[in-house]
Amino acid sequence: MTGTITLTMIKPDAVSKNHIGGILKMINDAGFRIKAMKYTQLSKEQAGQFYAVHQDKGFYNDLVEFMSSGPIVAAILEKENAIADFRKLIGATNPANAEPGTVRASYAESVQRNAVHGSDSDENAVIESDFFFSKVERF
Ligand code: DAT
Ligand code: MG
């Protein structure tokens, strides 16, 4: 059903600072159900593919380097209105602009090391979910 899933990653900065539990608690408390989850590390090639839409941006190489620098947690989250509600929960890309109480205001270090990913559309949620998870890994 469209509109009910989003793909998140807990990024290497947040994982390395032991914020997996705190972030998952915020996600569950906000009413998202975990449909799929894995602890993994992206190769540079995989990070480049995931963020290919940004390949012309000046920050792309640094982003790929950072996103492949350590382990991440990837998850498919389920909730009505998942995309918009999750973007609201995580806050602005730059934590300096993120509302108090959002995941990024609570845990992000900088615009690059910003703790979490959230899909930006229903279409990309499907593409990004398929990037990480097969059918038998979804519940
Ligand atoms: P979001 O992750 O909020 O969807 P985005 O899709 O515009 O933001 O960018 C993807 C990631 O790229 C973002 O989480 C962090 C990095 N990024 C974006 N803008 C940046 C910038 N101006 N400088 C450095 N990194 C940036
Ligand atoms: Mg984005």
Side-chain angles (χ1 to χ4, degrees):
M1 200 197 316
T2 199
T4 62
I5 62 161
T6 189
L7 185 285
T8 189
M9 292 182 283
I10 301 176
K11 296 186 180 183
D13 58 315
V15 170
S16 70
K17 291 190 293 181
N18 287 337
H19 292 321
I20 294 174
I23 291 171
L24 290 179
K25 175 161 173 49
M26 290 179 79
I27 288 171
N28 278 149
D29 286 351
F32 292 87
R33 195 184 74 80
I34 294 166
K35 186 174 180 63
M37 175 168 280
K38 65 176 62 168
Y39 191 40
T40 187
Q41 181 165 356
L42 295 172
S43 66
K44 272 194 206 179
E45 187 180 42
Q46 289 171 319
Q49 186 191 336
F50 187 92
Y51 281 108
V53 65
H54 293 301
Q55 61 192 347
D56 296 332
K57 310 261 172 66
F59 58 77
Y60 177 72
N61 288 341
D62 286 347
L63 176 63
V64 168
E65 194 72 37
F66 165 60
M67 287 302 298
S68 59
S69 68
I72 62 162
V73 175
I76 303 174
L77 307 176
E78 189 173 62
K79 183 184 186 296
E80 282 305 309
N81 204 29
I83 297 290
D85 285 1
F86 194 68
R87 298 290 308 196
K88 192 169 178 193
L89 177 68
I90 67 177
T93 305
N94 185 341
N97 304 323
E99 293 287 325
T102 60
V103 176
R104 282 168 167 167
S106 304
Y107 293 114
E109 288 175 24
S110 67
V111 64
Q112 179 191 77
R113 300 170 68 86
N114 65 0
V116 282
H117 170 80
S119 305
D120 63 8
S121 66
D122 291 332
E123 185 189 7
N124 284 334
V126 171
I127 292 169
E128 292 172 1
S129 295
D130 291 347
F131 179 90
F132 281 106
F133 298 102
S134 69
K135 277 183 186 157
V136 298
E137 295 175 306
R138 303 178 192 208
F139 304 94

